[in-house]
Amino acid sequence: MTEPRYDGLLLAPVLATLDAASGYGLVEDGALAWRDGLLAYVGPRSGLSGDPVSLADEVVEADGLVTPGLVDCHTHAVFAGDRAAEFELRLQGASYADIARAGGGILSTVRAVRACDEDALLRASEPRALALLRDGVTTLEVKSGYGLDFENERKMLRVARALGARLGIDVRTTYLAAHALPPEFAGDADAYLDAAIDWLPRLRAEGLVDAVDAFCEGIGFSPAQTRRMFEAARALGLPVKLHADQLSDLGGAALAAEFGGLSADHIEYTSERGVRAMAAAGTVAVLLPGAFHVLRETRLPPLDLLRAHGVPMAVATDCNPGTSPLLSLRHAMQLACTHFRLTPEEALRGATLHAARALGLHDRGVLRVGLRADLAVWRMREPAALCYWLGGQWLDAAYAGGRRLA
């Protein structure tokens, strides 16, 4: 019986499959084929069973490196306005906490989001998502958290879903109502948490929530309040992730791990206890070098401890208007190498395999038969060059589920 033709076949001088415990999993003079959106062949061109033209409906001859499609596992890319003025204030000596306490920070973006209708918010957000796609992203996470009431949190999540439909990629939505205290609940964080917990089942019933997050910090929500939100998520069968230990060690990473969290993100102040808990729970450490860079932080995440305990490290943009106005995951990879001393291999795994795991996704992030045909084709031959170049247009093409993205 003749095997059915492939839907697509890509020939390339170098594949970085990442399909090995270490190293790039390089295949020279390689080929990738897919059928029904899944990879059906990954290997050397010489391993194909016939002439390429006879094997697939579409054959593409690439001239550069092919990697798994990039996965941006932590963004706040749906928002309105900007906070360039706060950037200037920080350069003049104001701290992130100072600005937040003065009514700026997250609450200034909340005001801008609330002033937008859904169509306007979509128009404002789509260029940012497109910028991320144009530098290799094929899966994108987007958080709410700039609405802070039911209708505006819902509006943000609906826009995130609409972005996925418009752009032809998988957009994973995260409910982050526990991001900041809105002015109508000033001084009563527990009452606000009651409201935010009440909104969650309604939003989940509309298919708008894939995971639940919180900002566990002195200027955010306490560990006890975060625990309440996580218990509500667990009761609904929703996975959790956490903005943890960014500005102080409140035990956030350990709390996320206690709930089997997909990830603990930022973690500059996480202790060895937190790292051990993450390792035991399989919780991914999401490194966000864009925020570290913009805030000019000096406290590094516990990288040696993460390596020693085998905690997988993801890399994400944290694209947001206040602390990481970063529109390139590849640039985040470069910053992770420069600031955190990740190797280019660690950074690439962090933006593919480990980032996918940080979203609870096990069907992408590696070029392997049976997984999604999500891939990026680059105008370069060496994988390390992805982290070498600051800026530039290096993406030649990207595919999500075997479909070439516009």
Side-chain angles (χ1 to χ4, degrees), residues 28-392:
E28 304 288 342
D29 194 22
L32 290 162
W34 56 89
R35 189 183 295 115
D36 298 327
L38 303 179
L39 291 168
Y41 178 80
V42 180
R45 186 188 307 215
S46 61
L48 293 171
S49 59
D51 177 66
V53 175
S54 70
L55 295 176
D57 296 335
E58 178 186 13
V59 179
V60 177
E61 184 92 36
D63 190 36
L65 172 72
V66 179
T67 70
L70 304 186
V71 177
D72 199 347
C73 65
H74 181 130
T75 88
H76 305 255
V78 170
F79 63 85
D82 66 45
R83 293 186 354 227
E86 294 178 12
F87 175 69
E88 189 170 18
L89 286 173
R90 284 197 302 273
L91 292 175
Q92 294 169 356
S95 72
Y96 179 66
D98 292 337
I99 292 168
R101 292 191 187 99
I106 292 167
L107 290 182
S108 65
T109 301
V110 170
R111 292 190 290 272
V113 166
R114 289 182 174 185
C116 280
D117 65 22
E118 192 168 313
D119 288 341
L121 187 58
L122 178 59
R123 289 194 300 273
S125 303
E126 186 172 8
R128 290 186 287 271
L130 275 171
L132 293 168
L133 267 62
R134 287 171 180 153
D135 216 9
V137 168
T138 57
T139 300
L140 179 64
E141 187 258 16
V142 176
K143 303 178 190 295
S144 68
Y146 294 134
L148 307 188
D149 62 26
F150 176 76
E151 290 300 333
N152 285 290
E153 288 290 294
R154 181 175 182 264
K155 177 173 69 180
M156 290 189 68
L157 294 165
R158 283 172 55 88
V159 167
R161 286 283 192 246
L163 285 173
R166 287 169 74 108
L167 301 178
I169 64 165
D170 190 2
V171 172
R172 309 297 289 180
T173 52
T174 300
Y175 179 64
L176 182 58
H179 195 196
L181 194 60
E184 57 268 28
F185 283 91
D188 199 348
D190 286 325
Y192 174 67
L193 257 293
D194 288 339
I197 288 168
D198 182 62
W199 307 331
L200 179 56
R202 289 184 277 167
L203 294 169
R204 181 181 184 274
E206 292 186 33
L208 294 175
V209 180
D210 295 319
V212 174
D213 196 349
F215 182 33
C216 184
E217 194 54 73
I219 59 172
F221 294 88
S222 70
Q225 291 162 342
T226 300
R227 178 181 294 277
R228 287 177 55 206
M229 179 59 77
F230 281 6
E231 287 171 345
R234 182 163 60 187
L236 293 170
L238 289 167
V240 301
K241 54 219 288 86
L242 187 64
H243 286 63
D245 308 333
Q246 179 184 8
L247 306 173
S248 61
D249 183 10
L250 296 183
L255 178 60
E258 179 186 335
F259 282 82
L262 294 175
S263 69
D265 304 26
H266 287 291
I267 65 166
E268 280 90 338
Y269 284 82
T270 294
S271 67
E272 184 168 5
R273 170 179 166 269
V275 172
R276 288 181 180 275
M278 291 171 68
T283 299
V284 176
V286 177
L287 306 180
L288 302 171
F292 183 92
H293 177 79
V294 170
L295 293 174
R296 296 183 297 163
E297 295 288 356
T298 57
R299 174 70 175 248
L300 293 170
L303 298 159
D304 289 340
L305 288 173
L306 294 170
R307 291 185 180 109
H309 293 286
V311 176
M313 296 182 289
V315 176
T317 62
D318 193 16
C319 172
N320 76 73
T323 62
S324 189
L326 179 55
L327 296 175
S328 166
L329 181 51
R330 193 177 54 78
H331 194 169
M333 292 161 59
Q334 204 283 338
L335 292 174
C337 293
T338 300
H339 288 308
F340 299 161
R341 300 297 191 268
L342 264 62
T343 66
E345 180 200 331
E346 286 177 322
L348 180 57
R349 285 182 180 272
T352 52
L353 172 63
H354 298 324
R357 302 302 181 268
L359 297 178
L361 301 173
H362 297 271
D363 62 347
R364 67 200 71 185
V366 178
L367 299 179
R368 180 189 302 153
V369 170
L371 300 189
R372 276 176 57 100
D374 288 5
L375 49 115
V377 185
W378 306 94
R379 299 185 188 100
M380 55 182 64
R381 298 290 182 94
E382 296 291 332
L386 288 167
C387 299
Y388 165 68
W389 289 103
L390 278 165

